[in-house]
Amino acid sequence: FGGFLTGGTKVLREIAAGYLARVESAGAMAEAKALLAAKGINERLGGVALSAELGEPAVGELRALHARESSKKVRDAVEKGLDQLGMPLLVAEPAGGGSLEALEDELAKTKGLRAPKRAWLSLEDLELTAADGKPVGPKVLYFLIQQQSKHKAIEPAAAIVPFLAYLPREQNSGVAARLLTQWIASDQAAADRWVLTLAGLLGDERVVPPIAAGIHRWCKALRKELAECGVRALALLGVDEALMVLNDVAQRYTSKALNVGRAAAEAFQAEADARGVDVEALRDMVVPDLGFDAGNVRVLSCGDAVTHAVLQPDGTLRWRNPDTGKETKNPPANLPAGIKAEVKALRALLRETIKSQVARLELAMVCQRHWTVADWKELFEENPLLRSFA
């Protein structure tokens, strides 16, 4: 088995590593350390495979090898092994401050750090922001993309988890939205589904409409696995707008694209369980108000510029000048870019919400759903988006 472990065939290396870790566990750690320090690439790859089988006791050795390793093939193997173990590549120890700055210092020592090359991917002007509002160096974004692009599941790669704790959605949702926009404008290769994961981890309600539209488009084009990835990205978001779409998808895809509907139903049920309510109650709870107040007005502002979006009974919007009270059919043309982007997102969310609620109420009629008077008033009379349904 030792020859297989240091041979050039990956499958045989992994089989040999698994066997040696089980049968010769007493001497396996010493063997792994010796191989990790060997000159030959295949020997070091064998050491990585064996270390990954040994689990947590070998994590420190794997991290140390990655820090000094010159071979990209070996570094990739280390990253994959740590990811499979659920262990981050970089750790900001308390002695180092336990901070984003400490992680960045560790990141500066990482070799071969670059984002994957894609014709559609442009990272210019994309800047992450820490919780204190300070800009984060570009290497962090490269690292997030590089590591997540190697992780196939729609969940955070172990390597990026320590960084996510210092990158709140509120400050970084714009980066997530722009990455998603770039990918949507491409051919949406399944290999780049890491974009969906980052949108789910860093995004906000703005990424819900494009992901929702993508799910329906991918189902129609028989790209059902990609549609299921979109569902899992919405589950990562956890915001009410995303949960509303999950419920709609679960109800819509009960025969065609069954895997998509099932994944949405499971995600929605999991959220209901986490909140300690039943599915019907959660369906009521996640109807968003999209920021409209009791008077059907949402204030949009950017710097000194302010405009009011006024929700109409038919689900359309009118725009009110807060100084003069005059309303127009279209928003002012001289609004800053920040408000224009918010207007676009609001319109998309409004369309998605109304479409979803129409489908939900049709199902409620078929199922003969009942509400108490108090619950009905809270849901339909007090929510600006459902008042017209009442």
Side-chain angles (χ1 to χ4, degrees):
F1 274 92
F4 291 139
L5 185 63
T6 57
T9 306
K10 179 182 176 183
V11 173
L12 293 180
R13 278 199 304 268
E14 292 176 348
I15 293 173
Y19 176 83
L20 291 171
R22 290 191 306 273
V23 178
E24 299 184 21
S25 56
M29 179 59 77
E31 177 69 12
K33 289 182 179 179
L35 289 173
L36 294 177
K39 291 184 178 180
I41 288 180
N42 284 341
E43 283 81 1
R44 296 200 299 280
L45 287 172
V48 171
L50 182 55
S51 297
E53 290 292 336
L54 293 172
E56 191 169 349
V59 167
E61 298 294 334
L62 288 173
R63 288 176 178 149
L65 173 63
H66 190 278
R68 66 176 185 268
E69 182 58 54
S70 58
S71 167
K72 181 180 182 301
K73 189 174 183 179
V74 177
R75 287 200 307 270
D76 286 347
V78 172
E79 292 169 8
K80 181 181 178 181
L82 288 172
D83 191 49
Q84 291 174 343
L85 292 172
M87 293 291 179
L89 176 63
L90 305 175
V91 179
E93 302 293 346
S99 63
L100 180 59
E101 289 78 9
L103 284 169
E104 287 189 271
D105 289 342
E106 290 298 310
L107 192 58
K109 306 172 188 175
T110 302
K111 298 178 180 178
L113 180 58
R114 60 178 63 87
K117 292 182 178 180
R118 300 289 188 272
W120 56 266
L121 180 61
S122 174
L123 301 181
E124 293 182 11
D125 302 324
L126 290 184
E127 186 177 70
L128 294 171
T129 306
D132 59 6
K134 294 181 180 179
V136 178
K139 283 191 175 183
V140 173
L141 181 57
Y142 298 161
F143 184 75
L144 296 186
I145 294 175
Q146 182 196 66
Q147 296 300 314
Q148 196 59 52
S149 67
K150 299 175 183 179
H151 191 86
K152 305 306 179 186
I154 306 300
E155 63 186 16
I160 75 171
V161 171
F163 290 86
L164 295 176
Y166 301 103
L167 300 171
R169 294 178 186 273
E170 293 79 8
Q171 283 90 341
N172 296 288
S173 56
V175 172
R178 289 176 63 185
L179 280 173
L180 182 63
T181 298
Q182 290 182 26
W183 180 67
I184 291 291
S186 72
D187 60 359
Q188 299 148 40
D192 294 326
R193 58 187 176 274
W194 55 265
V195 177
L196 291 169
T197 308
L198 291 183
L201 294 171
L202 295 175
D204 59 12
E205 67 275 5
R206 284 178 290 176
V207 304
V208 173
I211 294 178
I215 290 171
H216 301 314
R217 185 170 61 252
W218 299 323
C219 284
K220 188 176 181 180
L222 301 181
R223 303 184 70 184
K224 298 175 185 178
E225 290 186 4
L226 188 57
E228 187 175 336
C229 290
V231 164
R232 301 196 185 283
L234 290 178
L236 286 177
L237 273 166
V239 298
D240 286 351
E241 292 84 353
L243 291 168
M244 177 191 69
V245 171
L246 287 176
N247 178 58
D248 180 48
V249 170
Q251 294 175 354
R252 181 180 301 196
Y253 298 106
T254 55
S255 55
K256 294 182 179 179
L258 184 58
N259 66 309
V260 179
R262 185 183 295 118
E266 290 173 355
F268 198 80
Q269 181 67 62
E271 183 65 23
D273 294 342
R275 297 192 187 192
V277 299
D278 61 29
V279 168
E280 290 296 343
L282 183 59
R283 285 171 178 162
D284 292 343
M285 293 168 63
V286 300
V287 178
D289 60 20
L290 301 186
F292 290 97
D293 62 21
N296 289 6
V297 175
R298 171 170 165 171
V299 178
L300 291 82
S301 62
C302 182
D304 296 332
V306 180
T307 190
H308 290 176
V310 185
L311 181 63
Q312 304 300 301
D314 62 356
T316 60
L317 295 172
R318 289 186 67 83
W319 305 89
R320 180 184 299 162
N321 185 314
D323 297 324
T324 65
K326 182 180 178 180
E327 291 188 3
T328 57
K329 185 177 181 180
N330 297 310
N334 60 348
L335 289 175
I339 294 183
K340 288 182 178 179
E342 193 173 355
V343 167
K344 182 179 179 181
L346 175 59
R347 283 173 163 165
L349 281 169
L350 186 57
R351 287 193 298 269
E352 192 65 43
T353 300
I354 291 174
K355 181 173 64 176
S356 175
Q357 293 311 306
V358 168
R360 188 172 82 95
L361 289 175
E362 287 176 350
L363 181 64
M365 179 185 67
V366 171
C367 298
Q368 293 293 284
R369 173 83 189 279
H370 290 74
W371 289 269
T372 66
V373 172
D375 287 345
W376 187 89
K377 286 184 175 181
E378 180 180 357
L379 177 62
F380 289 98
E381 287 190 352
E382 296 179 12
N383 187 308
L385 273 69
L386 294 190
R387 196 170 291 139
S388 60
F389 287 95

